[in-house]
Amino acid sequence: MATSVKQNGNTVAIVTMFFVFAMISFVTNMAAPFGNIWGFRYAWAGMAGNLMNFTAYLFMGIPAGNMLIRYGYKKTTLIALAVGAIGLGVQLLSSVVGDNIIVIGGENPTTLNLFIYLLGALICGFCVCMLNTVVNPMLNLLGGGGNKGNQLIQTGGALNSLAGTLTPMMVGVLVGTLTKETTMASVAPLVVTGIVIFVLAFIVISFVKLQEPQANLSNVKYERSPLAFRHCLLGIIAIFFYVGIEIGIPGEMNAWISRESFEGAAAVAGSLAALYWLMMLVGRFLSSIISGKVSTRAQLITASSVAIVLVLFAIFLPEDITFQSPQIDMLNIYSGEVPMKCLFLFLCGLCTSVMWGGIFNLATEGLGKYTAKASGLFMMMVVGGGIMPFIQDWIGRTAGYVNSYWLVLAMLVYIFYYAIIGSKNVNTDIPVSLEDELDPRDL
């Protein structure tokens, strides 16, 4: 009977974390299309909201891990949902505040509502950082680590990608044709929907009894740091590079093709980036099916090696070899004649789709009581999604867009090394069990 109750509790917890995984992408993927609205008025502001989202990880990663230790998974989730509702509320406020309040003057004066929006984006970044800190270790622990833990993370990742695909589409429906007159008021219905979802999720999770995957960690003694585990330290570096790869591949492709001279180049460039994210959705879905039987390490080795080959093809293939990119009317994906290199780049989405869950799963394997602290460190390294694409874009503007992918190749080689060698736990002598430190009633 006790086993049945525990299984039911685990099922509720797993379903709840799947929902949270989707919410992470829903909030994160608002930044880019919202940024397009501001980018029409201020050239520098197009990626500013995205930058604020990623910057939040740098400051919130370790505090979020400490919150897991002090408050547990459920309370941390509730705090994150409340912060998310506030962040979206602040973004909504930017659509209400008039744009006649000038903060910085000049030929193109910057108005107060832009900075209110950026503040809201930063607050939302704190929210998704906390949610990410909760959902990844919780699914891994609920699955018992190993292949099953990775399978749950990949299933949640598939829902994450689905939400990430739908969010820009919903923004496009609300905005229609983007002009200089378009404001945040145009997307207010979507922001309000997000606030309502966060509030409802807060209420539901408040009343749901979640089965915590670990006992109360607030009284646990931590003799070492998660960084004492070599596979965790190298995994944290791998996550930093991975997020740079994930964002850099479609981002630089978008920048490259959108600056081409043919008609509709920007729309085609955005469509190629959308195809990359669609490939990530397909890859995560397939991984969620096979992860129960195919080891995490095998998947990461295969994905990183194939990605290396695809990027090499993209670098060395002559640019005058072209193909007609696919058109998918339902997803507003437009066709155009583009270099064949782009085909190999958006196919990389199939490979990058499994890397986040695979790296996290391998890097936290065998950490025991150190898992929550490690999760906070992982969240800090998501800032790589802001730093590495920035460096790649600088290379692209100075040495050529195709040459910028040598940086991506170098990062992929590191992830391949991590999958082959760096992911092995060589510090099994460090005690990680909770059973020797806690009252049996807490276990």
Side-chain angles (χ1 to χ4, degrees):
M1 182 67 179
T3 301
S4 176
V5 172
K6 183 177 181 180
Q7 289 176 343
N8 291 335
N10 284 351
T11 301
V12 172
I14 290 169
V15 172
T16 303
M17 290 303 105
F18 283 168
F19 178 78
V20 169
F21 230 138
M23 289 300 298
I24 291 169
S25 187
F26 177 76
V27 174
T28 302
N29 283 279
M30 283 182 176
F34 285 6
N36 290 335
I37 295 174
W38 293 106
F40 254 90
R41 299 180 63 182
Y42 312 104
W44 60 271
M47 291 298 289
N50 192 67
L51 179 61
M52 297 300 279
N53 276 165
F54 279 112
T55 300
Y57 280 88
L58 181 62
F59 296 102
M60 195 65 205
I62 291 178
N66 290 335
M67 287 172 65
L68 278 189
I69 294 170
R70 182 171 182 179
Y71 302 118
Y73 288 79
K74 178 176 178 177
K75 288 184 179 178
T76 303
T77 302
L78 292 174
I79 293 170
L81 292 172
V83 171
I86 293 171
L88 289 177
V90 173
Q91 291 188 53
L92 183 64
L93 182 62
S94 71
S95 69
V96 177
V97 174
D99 59 2
N100 56 346
I101 303 176
I102 298 175
V103 177
I104 301 175
E107 293 183 4
N108 187 23
T110 306
T111 53
L112 177 63
N113 53 355
L114 171 59
F115 291 100
I116 293 175
Y117 160 73
L118 292 178
L119 175 62
L122 179 66
I123 296 172
C124 282
F126 291 145
C127 159
V128 293
C129 179
M130 285 186 279
L131 291 178
N132 256 316
T133 306
V134 169
V135 72
N136 288 282
M138 188 163 187
L139 284 176
N140 193 44
L141 290 166
L142 287 170
N147 295 350
K148 181 64 175 178
N150 184 47
Q151 185 175 35
L152 291 181
I153 293 176
Q154 297 298 349
T155 304
L159 295 175
N160 180 278
S161 295
L162 178 61
T165 303
L166 294 176
T167 301
M169 290 173 58
M170 289 187 284
V171 174
V173 170
L174 291 171
V175 171
T177 301
L178 194 62
T179 67
K180 289 185 177 181
E181 284 68 44
T182 305
T183 67
M184 285 292 292
S186 302
V187 294
L190 183 62
V191 180
V192 172
T193 300
I195 295 172
V196 171
I197 291 174
F198 270 124
V199 172
L200 289 176
F202 184 93
I203 294 172
V204 170
I205 294 176
S206 295
F207 287 98
V208 170
K209 185 175 181 180
L210 292 183
Q211 180 71 35
E212 294 272 345
Q214 287 184 319
N216 179 10
L217 301 176
S218 58
N219 296 322
V220 174
K221 295 179 181 179
Y222 296 94
E223 300 85 2
R224 309 290 287 272
S225 162
L227 300 180
F229 296 83
R230 190 195 72 169
H231 72 295
C232 181
L233 172 61
L234 298 179
I236 287 172
I237 298 172
I239 281 290
F240 179 86
F241 285 151
Y242 161 70
V243 186
I245 293 167
E246 179 193 280
I247 303 299
I249 289 177
E252 200 64 13
M253 179 171 57
N254 195 338
W256 168 33
I257 300 301
S258 64
R259 286 167 173 76
E260 294 295 305
S261 58
F262 66 86
E263 184 179 351
V268 173
S271 297
L272 290 171
L275 287 170
Y276 171 86
W277 296 111
L278 186 61
M279 292 299 99
M280 283 197 67
L281 171 60
V282 173
R284 283 175 168 172
F285 176 74
L286 293 176
S287 179
S288 68
I289 295 175
I290 67 172
S291 289
K293 297 180 180 179
V294 180
S295 74
T296 304
R297 188 164 173 263
Q299 289 188 56
L300 191 58
I301 291 172
T302 302
S304 56
S305 58
V306 172
I308 288 171
V309 173
L310 290 173
V311 172
L312 283 172
F313 269 112
I315 291 174
F316 286 109
L317 198 68
E319 198 166 325
D320 56 1
I321 300 178
T322 62
F323 83 111
Q324 195 72 23
S325 62
Q327 179 163 329
I328 307 176
D329 294 332
M330 185 177 65
L331 298 179
N332 291 326
I333 292 177
Y334 300 97
S335 176
E337 188 173 340
V338 296
M340 183 68 76
K341 295 172 179 287
C342 297
L343 170 65
F344 296 103
L345 290 176
F346 73 67
L347 285 177
C348 285
L350 289 170
C351 303
T352 56
S353 64
V354 305
M355 290 182 181
W356 171 274
I359 294 170
F360 189 94
N361 181 257
L362 291 172
T364 57
E365 192 73 18
L367 293 190
K369 65 183 181 181
Y370 294 98
T371 300
K373 280 185 172 291
S375 184
L377 293 173
F378 269 94
M379 291 310 109
M380 280 188 66
M381 291 300 100
V382 173
V383 74
I387 295 174
M388 299 313 292
F390 181 83
I391 297 173
Q392 185 185 353
D393 187 58
W394 175 80
I395 296 172
R397 285 183 284 106
T398 56
Y401 290 110
V402 175
N403 286 329
S404 74
Y405 283 93
W406 283 108
L407 178 62
V408 172
L409 183 69
M411 293 188 288
L412 285 170
V413 169
Y414 176 84
I415 291 178
F416 179 74
Y417 153 77
Y418 181 73
I420 294 286
I421 300 173
S423 60
K424 296 178 180 178
N425 185 0
V426 297
N427 303 105
T428 54
D429 57 319
I430 300 177
V432 298
S433 176
L434 291 168
E435 296 180 3
D436 297 332
E437 303 185 36
L438 297 175
D439 188 306
R441 290 171 296 180
D442 291 332
L443 298 173

